[in-house]
Amino acid sequence: MSIDHRLDGEYEELRRTVEQFAHDVVAPKIGEFYEHDEFPYEIVREMGRMGLFGLPFPEECGGMGGDYFALCLALEELARVDSSVAITLEAGVSLGAMPIHRFGTEEQKRTWLPKLCSGEMLGAFGLTEPECGSDAGGTRTTARLDPETDEWVINGTKCFITNSGTDITGLVTVTAVTDRAEDGRPVISSIIVPSGTPGFTVSKKYSKVGWNASDTRELSFSDCRVPAANLLGELGRGYAQFLRILDEGRIAISALSTGLAQGCVDESLRYAKEREAFGRPIGANQAIQFKIADMEMRAHTARLAWRDAASRMLHGEPFKKEAALAKLYSSEIAVTSAREATQIHGGYGFMNEYPVARMWRDSKILEIGEGTSEVQRMLIARELGLTG
Ligand SMILES: Cc1cc2nc3c(=O)[nH]c(=O)nc-3n(C[C@H](O)[C@H](O)[C@H](O)COP(=O)(O)OP(=O)(O)OC[C@H]3O[C@@H](n4cnc5c(N)ncnc54)[C@H](O)[C@@H]3O)c2cc1C
């Protein structure tokens, strides 16, 4: 039994390395990319060189031999400085590469994982559609197996898909209805679609409120054909597989949210000491001190929540409820802390050149992506035995 929440040597070393990278490499450059809605290829390349995209994968697949906890530590440190690069890593690893690692055939792993782990290539996962997001079982995209060519023929549209249209995107795994059960319910499977496949169209980038240096697109499939061997995992298990991926992803989003909340503390502390009003630093006022103390309390508690969920997951214990609790709590406190940090910065907090403005804009999506706050509450209530 272990009750120590502190990090041991290797985890702490990783945390410090990523903290330094975020401070030295990301912080000075990211504002410019964000301002121009540009994907930060050079930063992502550097993250690849550091091995961040391979963190939770075994060395034989091209990974770093670490675990999901290590990934979450890296996400928290990146998001303390910037959430666009953090979500690029989160989606690349937990939505792009992880489904292939968990459910892929040996051939699929050999084909895709080395490049995904090195960060040379990004993968994406397309679940959400224009008419269904939270209710992902309502997927309308279809995939029909053509027995003559032994190919899947995919038709449909996916929306809001992260990492799906960069120059280094290599694949998107999509969920699609491959059959109907006797009671008429859709049977959903996951299929890997390589970038550039005829019939697969990537739309232009959305204009977003936040995460402006990350890539988000709508994707359409019109008689798009891929080999039958591109089925990922078992036929008809696509929905179940995706739920597992989302449970894990919630821990990662929780770590990312914690990072944003901690970044709000970092920035507010610095500003409260520097900025003077009425002849003294604004941080000398208890009203400001209490705001920052509350922000620190929230970030600390959120950190304990994601670490608890990650620890359960790594020990092979049930973690669905803890992942939902962590995601719900940390995303909501990230929004609150970003609002308070902006307030502490006064008018400068509303200027894009200040990191807190970016944090404020980036915080809202945390309550929406990878399961909205309402969905997390539904999951927690269900885990508590409440139904109906
Ligand atoms: C920047 C960005 C990146 C994204 N990246 C990806 C990605 O890489 N891959 C991917 O597949 N998706 C991605 N998404 C989609 C995201 O996961 C969905 O937007 C999210 O799951 C919510 O789905 P929705 O937008 O369809 O909202 P809806 O499901 O339509 O929900 C609308 C509102 O109704 C509420 N609601 C719905 N059902 C209930 C209920 N039963 N009870 C109470 N309230 C309910 C919701 O909580 C929400 O507040 C991304 C979205 C964004 C904005």
Side-chain angles (χ1 to χ4, degrees):
M1 177 174 165
S2 165
I3 54 164
D4 196 344
H5 286 286
R6 286 168 302 181
L7 299 179
D8 71 10
E10 271 188 62
Y11 285 133
E12 178 55 20
E13 199 181 315
L14 170 73
R15 192 199 65 72
R16 274 179 209 260
T17 305
V18 181
E19 180 184 35
Q20 195 73 41
F21 170 76
H23 181 267
D24 295 350
V25 179
V26 181
K29 294 184 184 156
I30 196 67
E32 196 68 14
F33 288 107
Y34 198 91
E35 187 78 17
H36 297 104
D37 281 359
E38 275 175 29
F39 188 79
Y41 287 102
E42 58 184 84
I43 297 178
V44 171
R45 208 172 299 126
E46 195 57 35
M47 285 159 59
R49 269 190 226 114
M50 289 169 73
L52 299 188
F53 287 91
L55 271 177
F57 302 109
E59 286 171 21
E60 57 271 24
C61 304
M64 298 292 282
D67 54 28
Y68 213 80
F69 192 89
L71 169 70
C72 291
L73 279 179
L75 290 171
E76 186 183 326
E77 288 305 325
L78 287 173
R80 263 175 92 174
V81 166
D82 176 70
S83 291
S84 293
V85 292
I87 193 61
T88 299
L89 177 64
E90 194 277 339
V93 174
S94 80
L95 300 179
M98 194 57 89
I100 294 177
H101 173 59
R102 289 234 181 277
F103 309 115
T105 60
E106 286 310 313
E107 175 64 22
Q108 288 167 340
K109 290 183 195 178
R110 252 196 317 276
T111 305
W112 300 109
L113 285 181
K115 283 187 180 162
L116 293 172
C117 287
S118 70
E120 253 174 275
M121 180 188 277
L122 288 174
F125 204 109
L127 175 78
T128 308
E129 301 189 356
E131 269 118 33
C132 77
S134 306
D135 180 16
T139 297
R140 294 177 187 196
T141 295
T142 58
R144 174 182 63 80
L145 194 60
D146 180 341
E148 284 183 14
T149 58
D150 207 24
E151 287 172 327
W152 293 106
V153 185
I154 306 170
N155 282 286
T157 306
K158 298 289 177 180
C159 65
F160 310 141
I161 309 305
T162 306
N163 286 345
S164 60
T166 71
D167 296 349
I168 54 172
T169 300
L171 71 111
V172 56
T173 302
V174 294
T175 46
V177 177
T178 45
D179 203 354
R180 291 267 159 199
E182 278 176 11
D183 62 5
R185 274 189 309 162
V187 171
I188 297 174
S189 307
S190 297
I191 298 172
I192 300 172
V193 184
S195 298
T197 305
F200 169 23
T201 309
V202 180
S203 303
K204 72 177 174 58
K205 280 188 291 189
Y206 292 98
S207 163
K208 303 195 294 275
V209 169
W211 284 359
N212 289 15
S214 88
D215 181 79
T216 321
R217 316 258 182 166
E218 182 172 288
L219 310 176
S220 56
F221 302 88
S222 173
D223 287 336
C224 171
R225 289 175 171 268
V226 296
N230 283 24
L231 176 75
L232 181 64
E234 274 177 63
L235 185 65
R237 297 283 299 160
Y239 188 57
Q241 287 169 10
F242 199 70
L243 292 184
R244 161 78 200 202
I245 291 296
L246 278 185
D247 280 340
E248 295 176 4
R250 284 178 185 131
I251 305 176
I253 295 291
S254 175
L256 195 156
S257 306
T258 304
L260 187 144
Q262 190 65 53
C264 291
V265 178
D266 300 341
E267 294 299 323
S268 300
L269 257 184
R270 186 172 21 244
Y271 195 73
K273 289 177 188 164
E274 273 168 27
R275 177 71 174 177
E276 298 209 346
F278 301 97
R280 59 184 192 154
I282 58 168
N285 298 295
Q286 202 177 52
I288 302 285
Q289 292 174 3
F290 279 14
K291 274 193 208 303
I292 297 176
D294 285 352
M295 283 159 61
E296 174 73 0
M297 168 190 72
R298 290 189 288 257
H300 179 77
T301 312
R303 182 171 303 114
L304 294 179
W306 80 249
R307 288 188 182 182
D308 172 56
S311 156
R312 286 168 195 267
M313 175 188 150
L314 291 179
H315 285 94
E317 295 166 14
F319 65 96
K320 193 183 257 302
K321 184 180 76 179
E322 288 74 17
L325 286 169
K327 201 272 180 181
L328 174 61
Y329 180 74
S330 55
S331 58
E332 295 197 342
I333 65 105
V335 173
T336 305
S337 291
R339 192 185 64 243
E340 294 284 54
T342 304
Q343 189 68 17
I344 288 170
H345 281 70
Y348 290 107
F350 202 63
M351 297 299 124
N352 279 329
E353 69 187 271
Y354 278 73
V356 285
R358 215 165 58 229
M359 289 168 181
W360 187 51
R361 291 168 60 179
D362 290 342
S363 63
K364 183 59 205 169
I365 177 60
L366 299 170
E367 295 181 321
I368 298 171
E370 299 203 26
T372 62
S373 289
E374 290 75 15
V375 166
Q376 307 310 318
R377 288 189 166 88
M378 281 159 58
L379 286 170
I380 296 163
R382 202 176 298 150
E383 289 291 307
L384 291 172
L386 296 166
T387 52

